[in-house]
Amino acid sequence: MPAAKPNPQQLTLRLKCHKTTILLLVAPHDSLTSIKAKLLEAMKVANISEIQGRALPTSPEDVLLGVLIAKNDPGAGWTDLEIPEKEEGANTKSSVLNASPMGAGLEDGSVLAFKFRTEASDTDDLDMGDNEWDVIMPTFDDEEGSQMKEGEQGSQMEEGEEA
C-alpha cells in the first residue's frame, strides 16, 4: 500500500484495539466500509495477522467501529459508531451518520475503537459482548515507564553529591 500524501481536506483517524493503534489518513466523505477495508489492508501491510489471539477477518463487514461515549473521558467507555438501520414497511432507512466520517461528526485526530465479529456467528453477536471494547488507553505513568507506588518519591540527590 503506497503511502498517502496528506492534504488539508483529509482526516487522520486513530483506530485502537487492545494496545494496537493504527493511524489512517482518510477523506471526510469516504464510506465507513472503505475505512474498514483500509484498516484491514494497513494491518496486513504491517504484518499484523491477529490481535489478542483473534485473527483478522477477510471482509470489512466483519469489522465493527466504536466511538467514545464521552469525548474527553476514555474511562466512560465506547459505543457502536454505526447506528442500526430502521425498517419502515418494505423500505430500509439508513442513517446519514453511517455514511462517512463527516456524517458521523468525526474530526481530525478522532479516536475510534475496532473489534471483529466472531467467525462462527452470522449475526451481530460478538465474542466480547455487544458493548465491550478491548481498548487500553495509555496513561502518563505508562508512557514514562514509572513504576512508583503511591507515596514514593524519586531518587533525590544528597547535599554534596555531584551530578
Side-chain angles (χ1 to χ4, degrees):
M1 170 189 249
K5 293 185 179 180
N7 70 48
Q9 287 80 32
Q10 292 182 318
L11 305 174
T12 302
L13 298 179
R14 296 181 290 162
L15 293 114
K16 301 182 77 57
C17 182
H18 195 63
K19 291 183 180 180
T20 302
T21 302
I22 307 288
L23 297 176
L24 284 184
L25 192 62
V26 300
H29 61 281
D30 282 352
S31 70
L32 294 182
T33 302
S34 72
I35 292 171
K36 293 175 187 180
K38 287 179 182 181
L39 172 64
L40 290 175
E41 181 64 25
M43 288 190 285
K44 288 177 187 173
V45 168
N47 293 325
I48 299 172
S49 59
E50 66 177 33
I51 296 178
Q52 281 300 98
R54 292 184 294 270
L56 297 184
T58 56
S59 170
E61 285 79 31
D62 292 332
V63 177
L64 299 173
L65 299 175
V67 65
L68 286 167
I69 293 172
K71 193 173 184 178
N72 295 322
D73 183 14
W78 302 82
T79 188
D80 289 334
L81 176 63
E82 297 180 67
I83 297 171
E85 297 179 352
K86 293 181 182 179
E87 293 185 28
E88 293 182 6
N91 298 329
T92 301
K93 283 188 143 184
S94 61
S95 172
V96 69
L97 299 176
N98 292 341
S100 67
M102 188 169 58
L106 299 178
E107 301 170 347
D108 190 43
S110 290
V111 179
L112 298 176
F114 66 93
K115 62 183 175 181
F116 309 132
R117 294 184 199 275
T118 59
E119 294 176 14
S121 175
D122 291 333
T123 64
D124 287 344
D125 294 333
L126 304 171
D127 54 345
M128 290 186 289
D130 286 340
N131 293 321
E132 294 182 32
W133 296 85
D134 182 17
V135 176
I136 298 175
M137 298 294 278
T139 62
F140 182 72
D141 289 341
D142 290 341
E143 291 175 5
E144 296 298 319
S146 174
Q147 299 296 321
M148 293 174 48
K149 295 179 184 170
E150 194 172 313
E152 288 183 347
Q153 295 180 358
S155 63
Q156 296 177 353
M157 292 180 52
E158 296 289 326
E159 265 186 58
E161 285 186 20
E162 292 182 27

